[in-house]
C-alpha cells in the first residue's frame, strides 16, 4: 500500500466519522438544539397530579368489585374437588397483585408531581431571596 493511498483512506474515514459525531450539541431543527428549554407550569403539574390521584381512586374501587365473589367461588370450587378452584385462586391472586402495582404506580406519579411542585416553589423562593439580598438585585427590578 502506497503512502498516498493510506492517507486517502484515513481522510475518508475521518470524513465519515465527522458526519456521524456530535459532541455536546444536537443539530438545529425539530427536536434539536437551538430551541427553548423545557417549560412546565405549576398548574399543569397540579392537574396531572390530580388526574393520577383520581385514576388511582377510581381503579381502587372499580378493581375490587369482584374480588370477594371470585375468592368465594374459588374456595367453593376447590372444596368440591375441581381444579378450576385452584386456577381461579391463582387468577384472583394475580389480579390483586397487578392491581396493587398499578395503584402504587398512580400514587407514585401523583406524589412525585406534588413533590416536584413543592420543591420548585422552594427553589424559586430561595433564588428570589438570594437575589434580593445581593447587590445584583438592582438589575432585576
Amino acid at each position: 500500500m502506497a503512502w498516498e493511498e493510506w492517507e486517502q483512506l484515513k481522510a475518508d474515514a475521518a470524513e465519515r466519522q465527522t458526519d456521524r459525531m456530535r459532541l455536546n450539541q444536537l443539530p438545529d431543527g425539530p427536536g434539536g438544539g437551538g430551541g427553548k428549554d423545557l417549560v412546565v407550569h405549576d398548574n399543569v403539574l397540579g392537574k396531572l397530579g390530580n388526574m393520577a390521584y383520581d385514576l388511582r381512586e377510581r381503579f381502587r374501587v372499580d378493581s375490587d368489585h369482584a374480588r370477594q365473589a371470585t375468592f368465594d367461588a374459588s374456595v367453593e370450587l376447590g372444596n368440591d374437588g375441581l381444579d378450576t378452584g385452584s386456577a381461579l385462586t391463582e387468577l384472583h391472586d394475580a389480579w390483586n397483585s397487578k392491581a396493587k402495582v398499578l395503584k402504587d404506580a398512580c400514587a407514585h406519579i401523583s406524589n412525585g408531581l406534588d413533590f416536584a411542585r413543592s420543591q420548585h416553589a422552594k427553589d424559586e423562593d430561595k433564588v428570589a431571596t438570594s437575589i434580593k439580598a445581593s447587590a445584583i438585585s438592582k438589575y432585576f427590578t
Side-chain angles (χ1 to χ4, degrees), residues 4 16-17 25 30 51 57 68 84 94 102 108-109 115:
E4 293 81 24
R16 284 192 307 271
Q17 187 67 22
Q25 68 182 24
M51 288 170 63
E57 289 303 303
Q68 189 60 48
T84 308
L102 183 57
H108 183 72
I109 291 167
F115 176 79

Side-chain angles (χ1 to χ4, degrees), residues 5-137:
E5 186 180 2
W6 172 249
E7 289 298 321
Q8 183 60 45
L9 289 172
K10 285 184 2 184
D12 291 346
E15 184 177 319
R16 284 192 307 271
Q17 187 67 22
T18 57
D19 287 344
R20 292 185 310 212
M21 187 180 292
R22 301 274 190 253
L23 296 177
N24 296 328
Q25 68 182 24
L26 292 173
D28 288 338
K36 293 182 178 180
D37 287 337
L38 175 67
V39 176
V40 178
H41 300 283
D42 186 62
N43 62 336
V44 174
L45 288 178
K47 287 178 185 176
L48 290 172
N50 288 339
M51 288 170 63
Y53 179 80
D54 291 344
L55 176 62
R56 181 195 182 282
E57 289 303 303
R58 283 195 326 258
F59 185 73
R60 182 184 61 78
V61 171
D62 293 345
S63 69
D64 201 42
H65 283 306
R67 183 188 51 78
Q68 189 60 48
T70 302
F71 183 74
D72 292 344
S74 70
V75 169
E76 296 254 346
L77 290 168
N79 289 342
D80 289 342
L82 298 172
D83 290 339
T84 308
S86 63
L88 195 52
T89 301
E90 286 182 36
L91 175 67
H92 171 269
D93 294 346
W95 173 258
N96 286 334
S97 174
K98 300 300 181 194
K100 181 182 180 331
V101 168
L102 183 57
K103 289 183 285 188
D104 289 348
C106 290
H108 183 72
I109 291 167
S110 178
N111 292 341
L113 291 170
D114 287 344
F115 176 79
R117 291 177 67 205
S118 173
Q119 189 63 43
H120 179 69
K122 288 177 187 174
D123 292 345
E124 285 292 317
D125 288 343
K126 185 177 179 181
V127 168
T129 301
S130 65
I131 287 176
K132 288 177 185 173
S134 70
I136 200 168
S137 65

